[in-house]
Amino acid sequence: MKFEVLTIFPEIIECYIKHGVLGKALNKGIVEVKVYNLRDFTSDKHKKVDDYPYGGGAGMVMQIEPFYNAIMHLKADEKPRKLVLLSPQGRKFTQKLAQKFMEESKAMVLICGRYEGIDERVKAFVDEEVSIGDYVLSGGELAALVIIDSVVRLIPGALGDELSAVEDSFMKGFLDYPHYTRPEDFKGMKVPEVLLSGDHKKIALWRKRQALKNTLKNRPDLLKNLSPEDMRILKELC
Ligand SMILES: CC(C)N1CCN(Cc2ccc(Cn3ccc4ccc(-c5n[nH]c(N)c5C#N)cc43)cc2)CC1
């Protein structure tokens, strides 16, 4: 999977991708990330990327030319790629969309704006407009990293543990169960006895109950299409 990121702050992307799962996936060659500075695609000596909005209004708007030049530069190799514009107006990014991107795209271009947004005409060159959530960010870079991270986790072999990607919550339709590790007793705060029992059946049931309890409390909207067994457990919790 190849990601090409267009941004005026390449350092934001370059710093993050060196670490953790992403860093390992890069080293394994499972994923490639190339970052392009939009200022390198300007035609003036000041490398200007923004200007005042037509029609007036607060702030500055990013000009189309650097985006156009960068996109045409990438498309010169005529390889297929999905062009995704990060935007507060985009469709909501979910685990399901991450799965779809992983399955359908061998290469993705993540287009990151700043300021008050970008010239609307850029959208004529993109395939998708995506938002990571209903809150206001200062630019598209964090959203691009969210997409890269969540899609890479789904690539077989990226996590080094096939189950993890499948077991990631949201895929199953409810939140994760609580996790504990040593010490058993931290200032009187003890690990639940069941987790020390070695009884894997009991542990699995406890984890399922806790996951459903957490989901009922924090994200009841995820509780759809439960199995009859999960529904039975849920009813016991109510
Ligand atoms: C003038 C007045 C009436 N307007 C009122 C509405 N404001 C909305 C506005 C606010 C901030 C930004 C900053 N920004 C620039 C590029 C960019 C890309 C993504 C995101 C972004 N924010 N939140 C997400 N989930 C995102 C994603 N994905 C934010 C971005 C862009 C746009 C803009 C100003």
Side-chain angles (χ1 to χ4, degrees), residues 58 86-88 113-117 130-133 135-140 143:
L86 287 318
S87 153
R114 279 270 159 169
Y115 303 98
E116 294 303 325
V130 170
S131 165
I132 62 167
Y135 35 79
V136 179
L137 301 172
S138 303

